Amino acid sequence: MSHPLSGVFAPVVTPFKADLGVDAELFVQHCRWLLGQGAGLAIFGTNSEANSLSVAERRQLLTLLVEEGIDPARMLPGTGCCAIDDTVALTRHAVEAGCAGVLMLPPFYYKGVSDDGLYRYYAEVIERVGSPRLKLYLYHIPAFTGVPITLGLIDRLVRDFPDTVVGIKDSSGDWDNLSAMLAAFPGFAIFPASESLLSRARPLGAAGCISATANVNPAGIGRLCAAWDQPGAAQLQEQADAVRKTFQKYPMIAALKFATAHYSGNPAWSTVRPPLGALGAQQQGELLAELERIGFAMPGLAH
Amino acid sequence: MSHPLSGVFAPVVTPFKADLGVDAELFVQHCRWLLGQGAGLAIFGTNSEANSLSVAERRQLLTLLVEEGIDPARMLPGTGCCAIDDTVALTRHAVEAGCAGVLMLPPFYYKGVSDDGLYRYYAEVIERVGSPRLKLYLYHIPAFTGVPITLGLIDRLVRDFPDTVVGIKDSSGDWDNLSAMLAAFPGFAIFPASESLLSRARPLGAAGCISATANVNPAGIGRLCAAWDQPGAAQLQEQADAVRKTFQKYPMIAALKFATAHYSGNPAWSTVRPPLGALGAQQQGELLAELERIGFAMPGLAH
């Protein structure tokens, strides 16, 4: 089993205009900034409001990134939808664009579905895409989907599709689950969803992390991820934790976007699509005050 | 506030071919049978596996029904998706097709969203569709969405869009919630999701029901719904309950489809899309035995 991706990926926040349309130019610009800061691009993730985008919007944005010269080998787009046809369309498009992999939610409308049903879903997608270039990362985020990716399901998929199903993002926040996966699947590219777990998870073989706060602190998380076994790692962990803990006090996506708006000087960044809401004025003030207190910055962000 | 729809609606099960493609011809045929049995067509509901269909598939199927001469005034298609653009596209299409109304899920990926965020979602859809012909029925099904439609949200939407937001399907199965809605919103078209509540809910003003088992027992539920205040209603309730209780012992969608397969003589009906699974052989045998025991039939179903 290969271990193709590692390091830090940002589930790239998606900028919207006042009319809620995607600001494609700003999106490209932000992707360039993240790459420059050393982060990979997990576009169309939960923090990207991907499920508030249509299939057509996701295809257009990915095509645009490639046309703009952004390296698809640094991209891990989210392609998992409720309907197999949509998942196949997005996954095929990502493979054809040359993306390093895809991060695939399970179908998330029906609850209480069996591992067997989920296996058949993933198998059907893999067979329909039918490409040896497909590298599939499962996406375990039960708080949003209500549909967990169990160790039994991973085991079955990895056994039957060893060259395709190569990793997972674990957004459970559950250390027991993460450490059990790390123990059960050596060589599988396992990404916790938080940099706060890096010091514990990297020694056990975690590939890196795919973290919301990599949108605002990509370099800090990158240093920690690379130097976890070096002197000074504890301090890097502490610094990264301070940023994460600050953002975690607020609705995450709204807070990430507000900070990006503030530090880039572009207020349009604050816009989210309903049903999400932007931070209120008081929250904005509190977040900024705390970020200043911990010496937070987003160096090189375009103004 | 108008009270446009009433009676029994079936969330029409969607037939698939062996390759999982929609069997459009069989779908039209089943809709005709349901109409003939007195049920309205709540196509693209939860029991229709609507979220396992792409936006394009839903549009094509609705267009086909109208082309086949099925009266859109008897249709209440589900149009609620996670992404506003998709919801607007489906809703506009349904309005243009002349549908009596649309049944609209809230956006269901993000959890813990505020009533304010949900209000802005629905308001945005209503404004973009921008048609006085739009009659919107909210869809409260928290076990699947994790996103409840609260009384406060209903109140705000009804006040601001009184000619548009005209009803709700309550799939909570929670009598307290249903009776609170019936008390709070007289004249609002409130449909519980189960015929087992009709005897209690009709006297309080419920408009009817939109029930999974209306796919297999439309006439029985229709008689109960119409005659709730007549002599013999208790027996009609008992008969309807016997059917519902039987199906409820099994995964509902698979059981509805298996029964339709059996009583129509067309085994293709049993196919479901992953992540759902068909009934196993033992479940099939048990379900059939119990249906025979209670004298169940699907009269007039095409063979």
Side-chain angles (χ1 to χ4, degrees):
Chain A
M1 202 159 51
S2 60
H3 189 146
L5 289 179
S6 62
V8 176
F9 283 76
V12 185
V13 285
T14 309
F16 299 119
K17 299 177 183 174
D19 69 358
L20 301 181
V22 174
D23 189 333
E25 197 182 325
L26 195 54
F27 182 66
V28 172
Q29 193 175 314
H30 192 60
C31 286
R32 286 215 174 92
W33 179 76
L34 287 165
L35 284 174
Q37 298 284 311
L41 305 174
I43 54 175
F44 314 143
T46 297
N47 287 283
S48 316
E49 298 170 77
N51 288 303
S52 301
L53 302 172
S54 69
V55 167
E57 284 178 319
R58 295 206 229 179
R59 291 173 58 113
Q60 286 157 12
L61 280 178
L62 176 55
T63 297
L64 176 66
L65 289 183
V66 175
E67 285 172 356
E68 290 285 331
I70 291 178
D71 184 4
R74 295 290 285 146
M75 294 183 204
L76 182 64
T79 63
C81 305
C82 292
I84 286 182
D85 284 13
D86 290 338
T87 303
V88 169
L90 287 175
T91 303
R92 191 177 281 145
H93 184 249
V95 168
E96 285 168 0
C99 292
V102 299
L103 186 57
M104 198 179 291
L105 282 168
F108 54 86
Y109 184 68
Y110 294 102
K111 310 305 182 201
V113 295
S114 67
D115 273 7
D116 190 58
L118 293 172
Y119 174 86
R120 283 183 289 100
Y121 183 94
Y122 281 114
E124 181 78 19
V125 171
I126 292 165
E127 280 155 20
R128 286 201 207 172
V129 173
S131 169
R133 288 186 295 149
L134 170 59
K135 301 298 169 189
L136 194 162
Y137 295 75
L138 302 164
Y139 190 0
H140 176 56
I141 181 167
F144 286 81
T145 60
V147 179
I149 309 286
T150 66
L151 270 69
L153 175 60
I154 299 169
D155 186 58
R156 194 168 159 199
L157 286 168
V158 166
R159 265 190 289 127
D160 289 354
F161 306 102
D163 298 324
T164 300
V165 180
V166 296
I168 190 166
K169 176 180 181 187
D170 179 4
S171 294
S172 69
D174 175 355
W175 174 258
D176 289 346
N177 186 69
L178 180 65
S179 55
M181 286 197 315
L182 287 164
F185 307 110
F188 202 49
I190 297 172
F191 293 85
S194 171
E195 61 275 23
S196 64
L197 299 173
L198 281 176
S199 289
R200 291 170 77 191
R202 288 284 277 164
L204 303 181
C209 69
I210 304 172
S211 167
T213 33
N215 273 288
V216 291
N217 187 28
I221 301 172
R223 281 191 295 272
L224 167 63
C225 190
W228 62 273
D229 56 352
Q230 305 292 314
Q235 198 187 347
L236 293 173
Q237 181 73 66
E238 202 175 299
Q239 289 166 351
D241 286 353
V243 175
R244 184 166 184 95
K245 281 177 189 159
T246 300
F247 279 93
Q248 273 182 329
K249 292 178 189 165
Y250 303 89
M252 180 59 83
I253 298 170
L256 295 171
K257 287 186 139 182
F258 172 71
T260 307
H262 177 79
Y263 290 97
S264 70
N266 182 347
W269 259 116
S270 286
T271 307
V272 293
R273 282 189 175 175
L276 301 185
L279 293 193
Q282 191 184 338
Q283 288 181 313
Q284 293 179 3
E286 287 170 5
L287 172 58
L288 280 189
E290 192 163 354
L291 289 174
E292 277 169 31
R293 195 177 60 71
I294 64 171
F296 176 80
M298 292 177 73
L301 197 63
H303 267 73
Chain B
M1 201 157 52
S2 60
H3 189 145
L5 289 179
S6 62
V8 175
F9 283 76
V12 185
V13 286
T14 309
F16 300 119
K17 300 177 183 173
D19 68 358
L20 301 181
V22 174
D23 189 332
E25 196 182 328
L26 195 54
F27 182 66
V28 172
Q29 193 175 314
H30 192 60
C31 286
R32 286 214 175 94
W33 179 77
L34 287 166
L35 284 173
Q37 298 284 310
L41 305 174
I43 54 175
F44 313 144
T46 297
N47 288 283
S48 316
E49 298 170 77
N51 289 303
S52 301
L53 302 173
S54 68
V55 167
E57 283 177 320
R58 294 205 229 179
R59 291 172 60 112
Q60 287 159 11
L61 280 178
L62 176 54
T63 297
L64 176 66
L65 290 183
V66 175
E67 284 172 356
E68 290 284 331
I70 292 179
D71 184 3
R74 295 291 285 147
M75 295 184 202
L76 181 63
T79 63
C81 305
C82 292
I84 285 182
D85 285 12
D86 291 338
T87 303
V88 169
L90 287 176
T91 304
R92 190 177 281 145
H93 184 249
V95 168
E96 287 168 0
C99 292
V102 299
L103 186 57
M104 199 180 289
L105 282 169
F108 54 84
Y109 183 70
Y110 295 101
K111 310 305 182 203
V113 296
S114 66
D115 273 8
D116 190 61
L118 293 172
Y119 174 86
R120 285 184 287 100
Y121 183 94
Y122 281 114
E124 180 80 19
V125 171
I126 291 166
E127 282 156 18
R128 286 200 207 172
V129 173
S131 169
R133 289 186 292 149
L134 171 58
K135 301 298 168 190
L136 193 160
Y137 295 75
L138 302 164
Y139 190 179
H140 176 56
I141 182 167
F144 286 81
T145 60
V147 178
I149 309 286
T150 67
L151 271 68
L153 175 61
I154 299 169
D155 187 57
R156 196 170 159 196
L157 286 168
V158 167
R159 266 191 289 127
D160 290 354
F161 305 102
D163 298 325
T164 301
V165 180
V166 296
I168 191 165
K169 176 181 181 188
D170 179 5
S171 295
S172 68
D174 175 356
W175 174 257
D176 290 345
N177 186 68
L178 180 64
S179 55
M181 286 196 317
L182 288 164
F185 307 109
F188 201 51
I190 298 174
F191 293 85
S194 171
E195 61 275 23
S196 64
L197 299 173
L198 280 176
S199 289
R200 293 169 77 190
R202 287 284 276 165
L204 304 181
C209 70
I210 305 171
S211 167
T213 32
N215 273 289
V216 291
N217 187 28
I221 301 172
R223 280 191 297 273
L224 166 63
C225 190
W228 63 273
D229 56 352
Q230 307 292 313
Q235 199 188 345
L236 292 173
Q237 181 73 67
E238 202 175 299
Q239 289 166 351
D241 286 352
V243 175
R244 185 167 182 93
K245 281 177 190 158
T246 302
F247 279 93
Q248 272 182 329
K249 293 178 190 166
Y250 303 88
M252 180 59 82
I253 298 171
L256 294 172
K257 288 185 136 181
F258 173 70
T260 308
H262 177 78
Y263 290 97
S264 71
N266 182 347
W269 259 116
S270 286
T271 306
V272 293
R273 281 190 176 176
L276 301 185
L279 293 193
Q282 191 184 337
Q283 288 181 313
Q284 293 179 2
E286 288 170 3
L287 172 58
L288 280 189
E290 192 163 354
L291 289 174
E292 278 169 30
R293 195 177 58 72
I294 63 171
F296 176 80
M298 291 177 75
L301 196 64
H303 267 74

